[in-house]
Amino acid sequence: MLNVESDKADAFDQDEALLLQALASQLAVALELNRARAELDRLTITDPLTGVYNRRYLDRVLPTEQDRAERFERPFALMMLDLDDFKVINDRYGHRQGDHILVAFAQALQRNVRSIDAVVRYGGDEFLVVLLETDAEGAGKACERIRRRVVEALERSPSVPGDAKLGVSVGLAVRNPGENVDVKLAEADQRMYSEKRRAEESRDLGDVAEGH
């Protein structure tokens, strides 16, 4: 809405009114284009399935956060999460059901992080949480809290079949001033896969014991 006022009666003639109408139309077009650009930008950095951020956003935000953390000499943490046996879920229940589970997983993550943190779909069933202003002690506590609440949310979710057993493997790395963020990202990823392998080996041993 464009509002132009005067304390004088008949202050604006017809030509001025037409000019204001033309100006209002141009402003409306500019505002709509700006809204469309903002929406396009949102779509380019958002995962279409889960609604959380995607890798394109991560490529944008990590260098920015590294610069900011370096400038203020503050740490931040990278928490990588992966659903255990997700391939088994897809094979047993189908990819459509698997998509529903991924959405539930992403929503549970989103609900259990702070508003300043970012949840990113890193690929497949692998997600990353960027925990800003978080040191090693805080990251460890946040990691266990988030994992516990996410697993509990999945157990209650109607998107997860009742006989499906879903675990979550986590890898954590803290980026301190002077450290390379890409190295820390790889470190979190490796730790997550190491935990995932240990969980698989433990389940295999349990299956063998039950077979005997």
Side-chain angles (χ1 to χ4, degrees):
M1 178 180 289
L2 176 65
N3 182 47
V4 180
E5 297 181 356
S6 174
D7 57 1
K8 297 179 181 179
D10 299 322
F12 306 109
D13 60 25
Q14 186 175 5
D15 288 341
E16 289 172 324
L18 291 173
L19 177 63
L20 289 172
Q21 287 177 359
L23 178 59
S25 296
Q26 291 298 316
L27 286 173
V29 170
L31 289 171
E32 179 59 23
L33 286 174
N34 187 64
R35 185 205 64 77
R37 279 195 296 268
E39 177 63 12
L40 179 61
D41 183 63
R42 185 191 69 79
L43 291 173
T44 60
I45 61 173
T46 303
D47 176 56
L49 175 64
T50 62
V52 300
Y53 290 119
N54 60 19
R55 290 284 291 272
R56 187 177 287 109
Y57 173 81
L58 186 65
D59 292 340
R60 178 190 301 183
V61 77
L62 276 185
T64 300
E65 287 305 325
Q66 178 171 262
D67 291 344
R68 187 189 64 81
E70 198 67 31
R71 184 165 62 253
F72 295 104
E73 298 185 342
R74 298 293 300 162
F76 64 86
L78 300 168
M79 179 182 175
M80 196 76 75
L81 304 98
D82 183 269
L83 283 171
D84 296 337
D85 294 327
F86 186 65
K87 184 179 183 303
V88 175
I89 295 292
N90 273 333
D91 292 344
R92 180 179 301 172
Y93 301 102
H95 289 276
R96 185 174 180 82
Q97 185 67 56
D99 286 348
H100 292 324
I101 292 172
L102 285 178
V103 171
F105 186 28
Q107 290 175 344
L109 278 173
Q110 196 77 68
R111 287 194 301 269
N112 286 289
V113 301
R114 301 168 302 177
S115 60
I116 65 169
D117 301 327
V119 177
V120 179
R121 188 180 181 189
Y122 197 71
D125 58 324
E126 193 172 343
F127 289 75
L128 174 73
V129 180
V130 183
L131 300 163
L132 300 180
E133 295 288 330
T134 306
D135 58 16
E137 181 180 0
K141 292 178 180 178
C143 181
E144 289 309 312
R145 174 182 56 81
I146 292 170
R147 187 215 302 261
R148 184 182 69 254
R149 291 184 179 179
V150 166
V151 170
E152 290 172 351
L154 290 175
E155 289 174 347
R156 297 192 304 267
S157 174
S159 298
V160 180
D163 59 343
K165 300 296 183 182
L166 286 176
V168 178
S169 294
V170 179
L172 186 65
V174 177
R175 189 270 174 188
N176 292 299
E179 295 178 326
N180 185 280
V181 70
D182 291 328
V183 171
K184 290 296 174 179
L185 188 60
E187 183 179 315
D189 198 44
Q190 182 58 47
R191 288 178 175 175
M192 184 269 295
Y193 275 108
S194 295
E195 181 173 297
K196 192 176 185 70
R197 284 193 297 270
R198 287 194 297 270
E200 290 172 351
E201 290 169 359
S202 177
R203 284 193 297 275
D204 290 342
L205 288 174
D207 291 342
V208 170
E210 288 181 8
H212 287 294

